[in-house]
């Protein structure tokens, strides 16, 4: 899927800023993944998933398997996760936002995920995952932008991790 250059830059900047906000808000060490490194890297993997998929066993299994694959390939340092809230959610309900953030934090801790996952409070990424959990690969070295939907085939996994 080809996106316009402006939209690609916008998504990359939103991902980098969101990652830095997440790192600061959850007390994770900014030295581990400096936000400027996310922008300057030749590759960035953004995983966009529906928050409700954390409660679907099949969706959750595919997501955790992909996260484990990222870790085994050593690519989790170039990864950012985004949990998209349901459109039915009430924006003014701060309690539900805090509960969702704690659930994401618990998911990250329980599954030993090494990359930041942030909650898309304002639905900036809504609509980018209509078919389920979406993996967007930004590869600056190849000037490539690709979109995948979980579960991935072995060919897709090889394509994501080959350079």
């Amino acid at each position: 899927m080809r996106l316009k250059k402006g939209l690609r830059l916008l998504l990359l900047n939103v991902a980098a800023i969101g990652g830095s906000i997440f790192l600061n808000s959850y007390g994770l060490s900014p030295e581990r993944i400096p936000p400027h490194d996310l922008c300057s890297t030749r590759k960035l993997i953004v995983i966009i998933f529906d928050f409700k998929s954390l409660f679907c066993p099949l969706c959750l299994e595919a997501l955790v398997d992909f996260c484990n694959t990222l870790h085994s390939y050593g690519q989790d340092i170039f990864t950012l996760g985004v949990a998209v809230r349901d459109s039915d959610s009430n924006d003014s309900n701060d309690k539900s936002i805090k509960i969702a953030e704690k659930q994401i934090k618990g998911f990250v801790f329980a599954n030993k995920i090494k990359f930041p996952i942030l909650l898309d409070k304002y639905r900036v990424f809504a609509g980018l995952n209509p078919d389920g959990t979406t993996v967007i690969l930004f590869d600056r070295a190849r000037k490539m932008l690709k979109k995948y939907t979980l579960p991935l085939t072995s060919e897709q996994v090889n394509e994501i991790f080959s350079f």
Side-chain angles (χ1 to χ4, degrees), residues 22 25-26 51 54-55 94-110 117-119 121:
F22 177 83
S25 66
Y26 281 99
F51 177 72
L54 295 180
F55 306 103
D94 288 336
K95 268 188 178 175
S96 67
I97 290 172
K98 287 181 182 183
I99 290 170
E101 287 174 338
K102 291 209 184 258
Q103 288 172 330
I104 290 171
K105 191 174 180 180
F107 167 73
V108 167
F109 179 75
I117 297 178
L118 60 104
L119 179 64
K121 297 177 188 176

Side-chain angles (χ1 to χ4, degrees), residues 59-77:
C59 305
L60 183 62
E61 181 181 0
L63 179 61
V64 171
D65 286 346
F66 182 69
C67 293
N68 290 336
T69 305
L70 282 170
H71 183 66
S72 66
Y73 277 89
Q75 298 294 314
D76 45 3
I77 194 165

Side-chain angles (χ1 to χ4, degrees), residues 2-13 138 145:
R2 293 184 131 190
L3 296 176
K4 293 181 181 177
K5 185 177 180 180
L7 183 57
R8 284 187 282 174
L9 290 174
L10 174 68
L11 286 174
L12 186 60
N13 286 331
F138 297 89
L145 175 68

